[in-house]
Structures are given as C-alpha cells and as structure tokens.
Amino acid sequence: SQTIHQWPATLVQPVGSPLSLECTVEGTSNPNLYWYRQAAGRGLQLLFYSVGIGQISSEVPQNLSASRPQDRQFILSSKKLLLSDSGFYLCAWSGNGYTFGSGTRLTVV
Amino acid sequence: LAKTTQPISMDSYEGQEVNITCSHNNIATNDYITWYQQFPSQGPRFIIQGYKTKVTNEVASLFIPADRKSSTLSLPRVSLSDTAVYYCLVFNTGGFKTIFGAGTRLFVKA
C-alpha cells in the first residue's frame, strides 16, 4: 500500500533562517507530488507540484522553493524565512485521488 | 478547472443526519467528485468518491444528480467526533492543479 511521510511535525524558526521540509512516498512510482499551505482557519493553497524528478511548477510567487531530487522525494525550502511563511504545510501525492501527509506546523518568530 | 462552492459552516446535533452540498457547475466529463475530511493540525483524509448517481460506504453516502453540477455528502447520525472541515474536490487523474475550496466547517453539538 502507498504511504506518505512528512517531517518534522512542528517547527519553530527565527525570521531569516533557512527551511527544509521533506516528504517521501512509498509504494508507488512516478507519483504527482504537491506542497500545500494552510493558514489558520483557511483552505488549502497549492504552492508547488511536480510530475517527475527535477520537474517543479510553482503556483504562487513567494519566498519558497521546491525540489524533487528523487522520484519519491519532495522538498520544500527557503533561504530566509519571513513571518508570513508561518502556517501548516502539507505534502500530498495523487493517483486516484489525493493522499496527504500528516503536515508540518511552521511558526516563524 | 472546475471550481467548487460549499457552505462555509453548518451546525448539527449528535444523532442527526447531515447533508453538505457542493456546487461544481464547470465539471468536465472525465472529472470525479471526491470528499475529504480534515481535523485540526492533520492532513485531509479521503471520505468518499463518485462519478454519478449514488455511492455509499461505511461512513457516508454521496449523491450526484444526472447533470453532475452538484453533489451532496450525507453523514448519517453524526457524533461529536465528526466535527471537522469537509472539502469537496473535483479532479481527474491527469489533473495537476486541483483547487481546494475553503471547505465546510461542521460543528456537531451534544
């Protein structure tokens, strides 16, 4: 069966510090992968999606970037975090529907 | 890209049946309709999926009229633990930019 792993679960980072969130998928090959962000009490905002290794599409201009160094690995990064980067970050993959990771609560202080 | 419209929030009481309707007027022929449930600080999880007519599983039913421009998620006999946000999603397996709406916040009261 397919599983998706996302870590860390929570993260508190100072403004201006770098960020790296990792997501891995097991049990499937060449999945479509996604990074979403969710502000408190709001819906899901699509940030990036990837259809293959090294293929990244950005949906929203921002302080973040994504990379896919391996087929089942998706990384969300930032060189310098802003306060506005705080939120709940979700990784997902799609096949016959979407499967989400458990999320990372990022607080930038 | 099919856009969905749902009520922002709904209240119910334990033991009642809850129906949440979603509008998706621009649904395409190869689109499916899927509903997700999200608890605070967790990722959305799949509830039910359908293409047309009625689908039922152990937790919910999904009603889709012939024109497929709307769908209704039915939760029988809700409990306090069903308090969550419910998202209606229209997508196809080849789509990459599926848009999640704001969802419907369901509050179940004792």
Side-chain angles (χ1 to χ4, degrees):
Chain A
S1 63
Q2 301 91 354
T3 57
I4 182 167
H5 303 281
Q6 185 180 346
W7 66 93
T10 59
L11 191 60
V12 179
Q13 292 285 97
V15 170
S17 64
L19 173 73
S20 180
L21 302 180
E22 189 165 343
C23 171
T24 59
V25 180
E26 296 178 356
T28 185
S29 59
N30 197 31
N32 294 333
L33 296 174
Y34 309 82
W35 279 109
Y36 286 88
R37 178 170 62 195
Q38 187 172 38
R42 306 294 295 272
L44 297 166
Q45 179 188 32
L46 178 61
L47 301 177
F48 301 95
Y49 67 91
S50 171
V51 301
I53 296 174
Q55 301 179 63
I56 308 296
S57 295
S58 174
E59 284 299 294
V60 181
Q62 58 217 326
N63 186 42
L64 303 169
S65 62
S67 62
R68 186 168 176 175
Q70 300 181 39
D71 181 44
R72 288 169 284 182
Q73 183 185 30
F74 205 21
I75 298 172
L76 182 69
S77 304
S78 173
K79 292 182 179 179
K80 291 184 178 181
L81 283 169
L82 305 173
L83 288 174
S84 58
D85 292 323
S86 294
F88 189 52
Y89 289 82
L90 287 159
C91 178
W93 75 277
S94 69
N96 186 25
Y98 282 76
T99 301
F100 289 85
S102 52
T104 296
R105 174 75 58 192
L106 171 66
T107 304
V108 182
V109 296
Chain B
L1 301 174
K3 180 180 178 180
T4 61
T5 303
Q6 306 173 231
I8 294 175
S9 66
M10 296 181 68
D11 289 346
S12 182
Y13 289 92
E14 285 188 291
Q16 289 187 334
E17 178 185 75
V18 171
N19 295 309
I20 306 174
T21 297
C22 177
S23 297
H24 28 78
N25 293 318
N26 297 323
I27 189 169
T29 303
N30 56 347
D31 284 339
Y32 285 79
I33 300 156
T34 309
W35 285 80
Y36 292 80
Q37 176 191 56
Q38 186 181 25
F39 297 112
S41 298
Q42 295 184 27
R45 73 180 184 99
F46 172 87
I47 300 176
I48 197 167
Q49 176 178 297
Y51 184 80
K52 61 181 178 181
T53 63
K54 176 184 175 181
V55 179
T56 298
N57 62 22
E58 64 276 8
V59 298
S61 294
L62 179 59
F63 299 92
I64 306 170
D67 66 5
R68 303 199 328 122
K69 293 186 176 182
S70 67
S71 59
T72 299
L73 174 72
S74 180
L75 304 172
R77 298 178 299 280
V78 294
S79 63
L80 295 176
S81 61
D82 291 318
T83 294
V85 178
Y86 292 83
Y87 294 96
C88 164
L89 191 66
V90 174
F91 84 104
N92 62 71
T93 55
F96 307 129
K97 297 185 179 181
T98 306
I99 298 174
F100 280 80
T104 298
R105 294 183 174 277
L106 173 65
F107 296 95
V108 180
K109 306 173 184 177

